């Protein structure tokens, strides 16, 4: 399915149906922190440019402190071109904002949509719609996908399921708008180092536009 058709389908998502699926699958966060930790590989969660700025606005450092170039597409030396940002990680490969001592997210109110909607995602058409969180798909109903999480199967209230459905739909629309903007703003580059083609253009790992550097 074309991205524009997926976006139209995302806008048409049946909220009651999504809430039904979430209610049937069930979920309650156990605060285990698995979705915030690297486990077998470095933690990888998509974060959009405006989400990065919202996190930064809470005096949480520079762009690099919040996000890193998504490694997919980069070569073995970590160089090349990529098309997304990922939440920054610490020396253990965990999300930089995971407070291991408290077992909690230190930026809870500003956490990205992918964290707000974990462990669910939306699949449309050939599978596209929201970016995939870490963890394999273990359950699905209609467009709703549930990824590995020990909180699955626990009772969820109708109000919470409906609230999560609204956020999931918002995320599906945001993901697709970002993907369309990345495609529209793409320009081939011929420079050394790392370039991130995001929805706003071409950037270096510090978030500065390529023009500002080169
Ligand atoms: S931003 Fe918060 S919720 Fe998201 S992965 Fe990091 S610690 Fe977990």
């Amino acid at each position: 399915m074309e991205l524009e058709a997926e976006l139209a389908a995302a806008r048409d998502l049946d909220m009651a149906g999504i809430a039904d699926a979430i209610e049937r699958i069930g979920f309650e966060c156990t605060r285990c922190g698995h979705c915030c930790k690297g486990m077998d590989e470095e933690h990888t969660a998509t974060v959009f440019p405006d989400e990065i700025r919202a996190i930064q606005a809470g005096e949480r450092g520079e762009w690099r402190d919040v996000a890193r170039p998504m490694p997919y597409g980069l070569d073995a030396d970590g160089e090349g071109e990529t098309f997304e940002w990922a939440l920054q990680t610490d020396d253990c490969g965990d999300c930089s904002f995971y407070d291991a001592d408290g077992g909690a997210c230190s930026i809870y109110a500003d956490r990205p949509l992918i964290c707000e909607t974990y462990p669910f995602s939306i699949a449309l058409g050939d599978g596209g719609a929201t970016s995939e969180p870490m963890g394999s798909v273990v359950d699905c109903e209609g467009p709703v996908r549930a990824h590995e999480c020990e909180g699955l199967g626990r009772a969820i209230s109708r109000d919470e399921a409906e609230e999560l459905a609204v956020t999931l739909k918002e995320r599906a629309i945001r993901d697709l708008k970002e993907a369309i903007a990345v495609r529209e703003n793409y320009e081939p580059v011929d420079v050394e180092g790392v370039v991130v083609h995001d929805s706003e253009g071409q950037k270096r790992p510090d978030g500065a536009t390529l023009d500002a550097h080169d």
Side-chain angles (χ1 to χ4, degrees):
M1 208 191 293
E2 292 279 326
L3 288 174
E4 283 76 4
E6 281 191 29
L7 179 56
R11 288 187 165 126
D12 279 347
L13 280 167
D14 169 29
M15 302 306 295
I18 296 175
D20 287 347
I22 292 170
E23 219 178 350
R24 198 275 300 160
I25 294 168
F27 170 66
E28 182 187 13
C29 179
T30 65
R31 300 175 71 86
C32 70
H34 278 203
C35 56
C36 308
K37 292 195 278 197
M39 310 310 286
D40 295 335
E41 54 186 317
E42 196 168 18
H43 183 268
T44 305
T46 302
V47 58
F48 301 135
D50 63 334
E51 291 179 323
I52 296 170
R53 284 190 287 269
I55 295 169
Q56 274 186 283
E59 296 186 5
R60 299 185 188 100
E62 304 299 319
W63 185 281
R64 278 179 190 274
D65 298 318
V66 175
R68 64 191 173 104
M70 184 62 84
Y72 311 131
L74 301 181
D75 64 23
D77 297 326
E79 304 232 325
E81 298 177 47
T82 186
F83 295 86
E84 278 182 295
W85 297 94
L87 282 167
Q88 188 55 276
T89 49
D90 62 18
D91 293 343
C92 300
D94 301 340
C95 173
S96 293
F97 301 105
Y98 180 63
D99 172 9
D101 295 334
C105 174
S106 62
I107 56 163
Y108 191 78
D110 294 323
R111 69 198 191 288
L113 283 167
I114 195 165
C115 303
E116 211 176 326
T117 51
Y118 196 87
F120 297 101
S121 65
I122 294 285
L124 295 167
D126 302 328
T130 55
S131 45
E132 294 275 311
M134 294 178 76
S136 313
V137 172
V138 293
D139 202 349
C140 63
E141 182 170 320
V144 177
R145 300 285 177 271
H147 299 254
E148 285 173 299
C149 173
E150 72 170 31
L152 288 174
R154 292 170 174 247
I156 185 169
S157 71
R158 183 67 191 181
D159 283 354
E160 285 174 315
E162 286 179 353
E163 202 175 307
L164 201 41
V166 168
T167 316
L168 258 180
K169 179 173 179 174
E170 180 191 346
R171 184 176 141 219
I173 292 170
R174 279 294 312 280
D175 262 10
L176 288 159
K177 282 182 165 178
E178 289 282 326
I180 290 168
V182 168
R183 186 191 63 197
E184 288 176 351
N185 286 315
Y186 176 77
E187 282 184 21
V189 294
D190 184 17
V191 293
E192 299 283 312
V194 180
V195 174
V196 181
H197 298 269
D198 71 16
S199 56
E200 299 169 350
Q202 287 66 49
K203 296 193 183 116
R204 288 301 200 182
D206 63 0
T209 59
L210 201 53
D211 291 348
H213 269 289
D214 303 271

